Amino acid sequence: MRKLPPLRAIQVFEAAARQRHFSRAAEELCITQSAVSHQIRLLEEHFNQRLFQREGRRLTLTPKGELLYQESARIFNELSDLNQLIAGKKHQTLRLAVYSSFAVKWLIPRLSEFRRHQPDIQIRLDMITDDPVLSDSVADMFITGQNNQTGYWQQLLHRERLIPVCSPNLLNNTQATDLNWLLKQALLVVDEGPLGLDWQRWAVSNDVAIPNDSEQHLFSHVLLAIEAAIVGQGVALASDFMVANDIAQKRLIALPFAGIDTGFEFNFLCKQRRTNEPAIASFINWLTLQE
């Protein structure tokens, strides 16, 4: 005979762990916050383990709580899929965790084609800023910089290369786009956190000295720098795939200066065991055909 934990308490725990909030879990499950607290206490007594801990006003999971959350979320996701299969429902939602920049500039413009061919498969995009935990509780599929992950199928989508771009209006009909011209322009600089400032990396890579008094505008994200370049505020360094459409539509011009290979790769990953699921297999087949 199977020894199972209290299943209702597991359901309540999974919602509370996912929301990281008891009151939001209560709203989701249409119960009171005190009922959520009661079910969590019941589960902690069953395991004789603390599952949550409070750090000020912040609710976090203990290591055992994190393990229970990862596995319970996976099980509930699989039960949801099984429910749809047995009920004969064709519609299926796949969660794809993806960087916002890659989604906006590469994926979203292409997704309409997939939706036309697979109207019964809905792709939910969950935007990420850092590499996520690879888990079914987070998403079904991932586009991240991670690679060679045990148990995951992987497809390289793009190797990042930064190229200098500006608005056609910035040239003012001049053809003298040499290095002296470039260093007189406002540089739209992206602070890439631990990697530093993108134009500084470009200067080191190309053995160029940027004058200390050069005009520079600082941005926290490359998408902001690209938009600033489009309206003529200066010269930006942008991932080639992000500005391909803007260049084709003449909103931007790729300047004749060296780019830099960042070494960063955008990879698609999903669990190896799930590649034969019809919906995921359809998405992989479509994705591998994209340029």
Side-chain angles (χ1 to χ4, degrees), residues 124-182:
R124 168 181 165 152
L125 301 182
D126 292 337
M127 302 301 186
I128 57 175
T129 55
D130 298 308
D131 286 335
V133 174
L134 298 181
S135 166
D136 286 337
S137 65
V138 176
D140 304 293
M141 309 176 296
F142 303 84
I143 295 178
T144 82
Q146 293 150 292
N147 56 32
N148 299 324
Q149 301 294 307
T150 302
Y152 278 80
W153 184 87
Q154 174 182 321
Q155 171 71 35
L156 172 65
L157 299 180
H158 189 76
R159 290 187 174 92
E160 186 179 50
R161 180 171 177 77
L162 301 183
I163 61 173
V165 294
C166 73
S167 166
N169 297 330
L170 196 65
L171 297 179
N172 293 324
N173 297 320
T174 181
Q175 300 300 316
T177 51
D178 56 14
L179 186 59
N180 288 330
W181 174 89
L182 175 64

